[in-house]
Amino acid sequence: MRKIAAGLFIALDGVVEAPDQWHFPYFNDEMGAAVDATVGSADTLLLGRRTYDSFAGAWPEREAAGGEDAAFAKKLGDARKIVVSNQKLRFDWRNSEQLTGELTEAVAALKNEPGGDIAMSGSVSVVRQLLAAGLLDELHLLVHPIAVRKGMRLFDEAETPLPLRLISWETFRTGVLNLVYAPDATVGDATYEDAKGHMPQGEQ
């Protein structure tokens, strides 16, 4: 079964909205390699419409310009791009198509198709729905050492918690944390009485 990994730029206070307004001072070669490992290594991209529109408005021109980021732009252009939207869309960027059918059913079917890994970038509302449905395999968070203090946060309010398991971590020279999580269904119940045994004990 194909794996779905979602990569997001996130501030220390959980804000993921408009990262172009706050994350560039922290972008270095380490972050570039992390983004390429998530997005650039996948043969399929699953994107919300707003994220797709942002990508399609920039990356084809960057590929054509032949600058330093042209190789990464070509990777994005060559990848199969599947866009989640309730509106009928038309595409100019090559290898683009619209996801058809109900989201979770269509994504479950997509995971069962032959092919390599599936990557997501941004697309917060889609990420939330796939996490809730148990369809997202990995959450790659580039946690920036800044509190943006306004804007959409990754996790919205819900009745039940969402346990996650940390599977890898790395600290960049800029102070950005590269954290990779997977859903965790093994978290049990515990109380303060259970926790007391792990607290420092005074002299007897």
Side-chain angles (χ1 to χ4, degrees):
M1 180 178 289
R2 306 170 78 185
K3 180 179 73 176
I4 301 182
L8 295 105
F9 302 122
I10 183 169
L12 199 59
D13 55 355
V15 172
V16 289
E17 185 175 343
D20 57 299
Q21 298 179 14
W22 46 265
H23 96 97
F24 282 124
Y26 303 96
F27 202 100
N28 65 356
D29 55 342
E30 295 168 306
M31 187 179 291
V35 171
D36 188 52
T38 302
V39 179
S41 63
D43 66 7
T44 301
L45 302 179
L46 180 65
L47 304 169
R49 183 187 57 80
R50 290 183 181 177
T51 301
Y52 175 84
D53 287 346
S54 175
F55 277 29
W59 290 110
E61 293 182 3
R62 292 172 182 172
E63 180 181 355
E68 293 181 359
D69 54 0
F72 184 74
K74 185 178 185 303
K75 286 184 180 181
L76 296 182
D78 290 342
R80 179 187 180 191
K81 292 168 285 294
I82 304 175
V83 186
V84 179
S85 177
N86 293 323
Q87 301 175 348
K88 183 64 177 177
L89 304 177
R90 297 178 60 185
F91 302 106
D92 296 319
W93 197 11
R94 69 184 187 275
N95 300 323
S96 299
E97 62 190 84
Q98 186 166 353
L99 186 73
T100 57
E102 192 274 332
L103 175 65
T104 56
E105 292 180 359
V107 171
L110 180 65
K111 292 185 70 171
N112 282 312
E113 291 181 2
D117 289 342
I118 303 164
M120 301 180 65
S121 180
S123 311
V124 176
S125 64
V126 181
V127 169
R128 288 174 176 172
Q129 293 177 74
L130 297 187
L131 273 172
L135 291 170
L136 192 68
D137 299 285
E138 291 183 359
L139 187 60
H140 296 213
L141 300 180
L142 290 165
V143 184
H144 293 54
I146 182 173
V148 177
R149 304 178 68 184
K150 63 178 181 179
M152 180 191 301
R153 286 166 170 76
L154 173 56
F155 299 108
D156 55 355
E157 292 189 9
E159 294 298 323
T160 57
L162 181 65
L164 299 170
R165 173 172 53 90
L166 183 64
I167 57 178
S168 71
W169 59 93
E170 182 182 8
T171 304
F172 295 161
R173 294 186 301 272
T174 57
V176 170
L177 300 177
N178 180 20
L179 307 178
V180 179
Y181 290 93
D184 189 358
T186 63
V187 177
D189 295 327
T191 66
Y192 175 69
E193 293 301 317
D194 299 309
K196 280 198 305 185
H198 300 288
M199 298 179 68
Q201 302 297 312
E203 294 184 3
Q204 302 298 320

